[in-house]
Amino acid sequence: DAMVIQNPRYQVTQFGKPVTLSCSQTLNHNVMYWYQQKSSQAPKLLFHYYDKDFNNEADTPDNFQSRRPNTSFCFLDIRSPGLGDAAMYLCATSRAGRTSGRKGETQYFGPGTRLLVL
Amino acid sequence: GNSVTQMEGPVTLSEEAFLTINCTYTATGYPSLFWYVQYPGEGLQLLLKATKADDKGSNKGFEATYRKETTSFHLEKGSVQVSDSAVYFCALGDQGGSEKLVFGKGTKLTVNP
């Protein structure tokens, strides 16, 4: 089945130690998103890629970076994790309306990676 | 800017009860509207969507109608099941072409047998 895969499902890191989360997709979607979701809150968009074009949200801390080496893979790098960065990180993909010509393209989410910072 | 206001939870119902979760939005133009569901420990899944006024989205017994006049997209189900226990998010789609979503705060639903 086509899907969005996130590895690992659980990640433990130390305060200040760089960590990378990965996302892959078999849907061949041109848009990929990274969200941060803290307990009992709505997902908060960090950034998204439209093909290779990177789009950062204005309030995303510089500590968060992303790479998309090809259509299928996207990485979230946290350069110096703090205790406040402990959260669920969700990857999602979609076609873009400007590509498909349709409104309301669905975002397909992976299962998430839960990050714990010690 | 675009925003979504969603009914605060948590909501606790007995099995077979009627469910309504209110959602209203603020946006310019005609955004797409979505309901996503998140089961414990999982990512979000699309439940239903509507892309224009008066459209009704439906799935798994859930329904929501895009009401432009009241800027609402309330979620309803006539008879909930224990398996419907989850967090429900109302979302609005950005019209800029990259389909960014603006989420409501989520409503946790617990259905008891």
Side-chain angles (χ1 to χ4, degrees):
Chain A
D1 287 341
M3 57 178 60
V4 181
I5 302 162
Q6 290 188 246
N7 286 307
R9 293 292 307 273
Y10 299 90
Q11 177 73 57
V12 181
T13 191
Q14 293 178 336
F15 183 93
K17 183 175 181 181
V19 65
T20 295
L21 310 181
S22 71
C23 176
S24 63
Q25 54 131 339
T26 60
L27 296 161
N28 202 32
H29 285 165
N30 54 344
V31 190
M32 293 188 77
Y33 311 79
W34 278 106
Y35 291 87
Q36 179 192 65
Q37 186 181 25
K38 295 190 175 179
S39 182
S40 302
Q41 295 184 21
K44 177 181 179 297
L45 182 65
L46 296 173
F47 24 62
H48 73 279
Y49 275 93
Y50 179 87
D51 291 325
K52 293 184 178 182
D53 294 333
F54 178 71
N55 298 271
N56 201 26
E57 293 301 298
D59 57 354
T60 298
D62 292 341
N63 198 26
F64 291 87
Q65 305 286 322
S66 186
R67 296 170 283 135
R68 188 179 186 185
N70 53 52
T71 300
S72 300
F73 286 87
C74 195
F75 300 98
L76 171 62
D77 300 309
I78 309 176
R79 292 191 298 185
S80 182
L83 298 179
D85 297 327
M88 175 78 88
Y89 290 88
L90 298 169
C91 175
T93 75
S94 76
R95 296 184 190 90
R98 71 180 100 159
T99 302
S100 68
R102 290 190 295 268
K103 276 189 68 178
E105 290 285 1
T106 300
Q107 285 193 21
Y108 294 84
F109 285 80
T113 294
R114 184 165 297 282
L115 178 68
L116 181 62
V117 181
L118 300 178
Chain B
N2 295 346
S3 67
V4 174
T5 302
Q6 188 175 339
M7 185 173 110
E8 296 279 339
V11 174
T12 302
L13 296 173
S14 298
E15 207 164 22
E16 299 183 3
F18 184 84
L19 170 70
T20 299
I21 302 177
N22 289 338
C23 172
T24 58
Y25 68 90
T26 301
T28 55
Y30 295 86
S32 299
L33 299 172
F34 304 82
W35 278 99
Y36 280 84
V37 59
Q38 186 174 33
Y39 298 101
E42 297 184 12
L44 279 70
Q45 304 173 25
L46 177 71
L47 181 59
L48 52 83
K49 67 180 179 182
T51 59
K52 62 183 188 296
D54 300 325
D55 267 2
K56 177 186 283 188
S58 61
N59 186 26
K60 300 181 181 179
F62 291 89
E63 294 183 341
T65 301
Y66 189 143
R67 301 288 187 199
K68 181 68 176 175
E69 64 275 13
T70 54
T71 62
S72 65
F73 194 54
H74 304 319
L75 182 68
E76 296 182 336
K77 186 174 185 182
S79 177
V80 293
Q81 306 300 312
V82 173
S83 58
D84 295 326
S85 298
V87 181
Y88 292 80
F89 292 95
C90 185
L92 177 157
D94 172 54
Q95 300 171 81
S98 63
E99 303 297 340
K100 288 167 56 175
L101 293 174
V102 175
F103 285 96
K105 292 185 177 181
T107 302
K108 183 176 181 179
L109 170 66
T110 301
V111 180
N112 295 318

